[in-house]
Amino acid sequence: MKKTSTRLADGRELIYYDLRDDTVRDAADRRPLTPTVTTSEIRRDPLLGDAVAVASHRQGRTYLPPADECPLCPTAGERLSEIPDSSYDVVVFENRFPSLAGDSGRCEVVCFTPDHDASFADLTDERARLVLDAWTDRTAELSHLPSVEQVFCFENRGAEIGVTLGHPHGQIYAYPFTTPRTALMLRSLAAHKAATGGENLFDAVLERELAGERVVLEGEHWVAFVPYAAHWPYEVHLYPRRRVPDLLALDEAARTEFPQVYLELLRRFDRIFGEGESVTPYIAAWHQAPFGAATPADGVTRDDFALHLELFTIRRTTGKLKFLAGSESGMNVFINDVPPERAAERLREVASS
């Protein structure tokens, strides 16, 4: 992998990740951009104890432009985009409309491919591995920023999810705090460790799932399963068999196998609802241990946390979405319409090609 860092016309960082070591990236951003002005602010909810990012400048962000005006496609002639070069393998850049900025963190965009009409599932194993390497590199770099405590790599896919750009891409959020969901996991981890005399909760969950009926895919180094208490109708968790706290700690064997397992999983997701349905909308979210002094607590260390990816769709059946209504939105109590065992069975039976 070759990494080339440059700057866009407004001063934002852009990084090319290339498969070939001899690739030259010297194209300049020719757009007449003024420096971005952000109003991101983190506010704490005094009752719930969680954080809300207030970012009013995002109201003006680009919204579903036509393909010939896509800002994530490579620059072509006089059609200028966020990527100055006429081609790329994988590219990462600072978001022009970030939810988090300055002391409130950082937001980046990850473009998986220059092909506007493709998806992550269409990538080759080599290109998917390059995306994994980019995620890993950005996690390492962002974790060293003084304001950052947790790095979150994720992909929103599909208009139903609320994406504003149709080009295949993901995002990376670098939070200045440990997110509420991770804090819940850490509390459960600490409580289980104390109650069992030292057993790791993530290890126990994985062992139980491997012995059950909800496993979807197994590789030598990765396991994908529908969790016992899945929140979403079709939800899969992907774990490395060897527990590691973050992407940086994956060994070469796990990195090599990841594209095979993950691409197969995504292709199955696209076939859950039948050939006549549009592509399956989904969220793919990496969970990594937080960084910083606040992480080791209650007898739990970073090494107790288990890196894993959670993949889920908001579609519950053909032509119908799972809405977060009163119970989910008002009380955070999910009601799942599909038994996890049936979801796992369906994901096992669909062919990926």
Side-chain angles (χ1 to χ4, degrees):
M1 177 187 77
K2 181 180 181 182
K3 176 183 174 182
T4 305
S5 179
T6 184
R7 292 283 170 179
L8 296 173
D10 57 6
R12 289 175 295 134
E13 185 178 18
L14 179 142
I15 306 162
Y16 294 99
Y17 293 90
D18 287 295
L19 293 168
R20 291 174 55 97
D21 290 337
D22 60 353
T23 303
V24 176
R25 300 294 185 187
D26 56 7
D29 184 2
R30 294 181 282 131
R31 296 172 298 170
L33 296 181
T34 57
T36 55
V37 177
T38 62
T39 56
S40 180
E41 176 189 0
I42 300 297
R43 296 187 181 184
R44 292 280 179 179
D45 185 316
L47 296 180
L48 298 179
D50 58 8
V52 175
V54 180
S56 59
H57 63 277
R58 285 174 53 80
Q59 287 281 37
R61 67 190 186 274
T62 306
Y63 182 77
L64 296 177
D68 61 356
E69 297 178 16
C70 176
L72 305 186
C73 289
T75 288
E78 294 307 309
R79 185 181 64 77
L80 309 178
S81 77
E82 287 279 62
I83 297 92
D85 214 320
S86 59
S87 67
Y88 63 85
D89 289 338
V90 172
V91 70
V92 176
F93 60 87
E94 289 183 76
N95 198 325
R96 186 165 170 81
F97 303 97
S99 302
L100 309 167
D103 292 339
S104 297
R106 175 159 158 153
C107 293
E108 299 181 340
V109 177
V110 185
C111 297
F112 305 137
T113 169
D115 186 348
H116 182 84
D117 298 317
S119 68
F120 200 116
D122 296 322
L123 300 183
T124 63
D125 286 6
E126 186 179 39
R127 183 67 61 86
R129 166 62 190 265
L130 185 61
V131 175
L132 175 63
D133 290 342
W135 283 331
T136 305
D137 180 72
R138 297 315 301 154
T139 295
E141 293 292 331
L142 293 171
S143 70
H144 292 133
L145 296 179
S147 64
V148 172
E149 190 167 306
Q150 185 169 2
V151 179
F152 176 46
C153 306
F154 65 101
E155 179 191 2
N156 296 331
R157 189 241 203 162
E160 299 92 334
I161 296 293
V163 297
T164 58
L165 297 173
H167 193 106
H169 72 288
Q171 300 180 67
I172 302 175
Y173 277 20
Y175 296 102
F177 51 82
T178 297
T179 61
R181 180 151 186 174
T182 302
L184 282 174
M185 291 186 196
L186 291 171
R187 286 201 291 272
S188 296
L189 186 62
H192 185 85
K193 189 174 185 178
T196 60
E199 182 182 66
N200 184 278
L201 178 58
F202 287 109
D203 292 350
V205 167
L206 184 56
E207 181 179 358
R208 182 177 72 172
E209 295 295 354
L210 281 168
E213 57 182 319
R214 291 179 296 273
V215 172
V216 176
L217 284 171
E218 287 190 70
E220 183 179 353
H221 303 283
W222 294 88
V223 178
F225 59 87
V226 177
Y228 170 74
H231 290 60
W232 299 91
Y234 290 93
E235 173 183 339
V236 176
H237 293 190
L238 179 62
Y239 276 67
R241 290 183 185 270
R242 182 178 70 88
R243 172 166 44 89
V244 294
D246 52 38
L247 290 166
L248 283 68
L250 287 173
D251 60 24
E252 182 58 30
R255 292 180 183 280
T256 299
E257 187 183 75
F258 170 77
Q260 304 160 29
V261 177
Y262 187 50
L263 291 174
E264 170 69 13
L265 190 59
L266 291 179
R267 290 161 187 164
R268 291 192 185 197
F269 252 60
D270 267 346
R271 303 181 77 88
I272 298 173
F273 304 106
E275 295 287 352
E277 194 71 22
S278 61
V279 295
T280 300
Y282 65 71
I283 293 174
W286 281 108
H287 291 265
Q288 305 190 78
F291 298 90
T295 303
D298 300 322
V300 171
T301 69
R302 290 195 79 250
D303 288 337
D304 289 317
F305 195 87
L307 167 78
H308 62 284
L309 181 141
E310 297 184 8
L311 173 69
F312 60 90
T313 178
I314 63 170
R315 187 174 289 160
R316 58 187 174 89
T317 189
T318 302
K320 297 179 181 178
L321 300 180
K322 167 64 180 177
F323 292 103
L324 301 189
S327 186
E328 292 89 353
S329 295
M331 284 289 127
N332 201 27
V333 177
F334 276 68
I335 300 169
N336 193 345
D337 306 287
V338 180
E341 294 73 22
R342 173 54 189 147
E345 181 182 22
R346 175 61 181 157
L347 285 163
R348 285 193 300 268
E349 68 187 15
V350 293
S352 65
S353 61

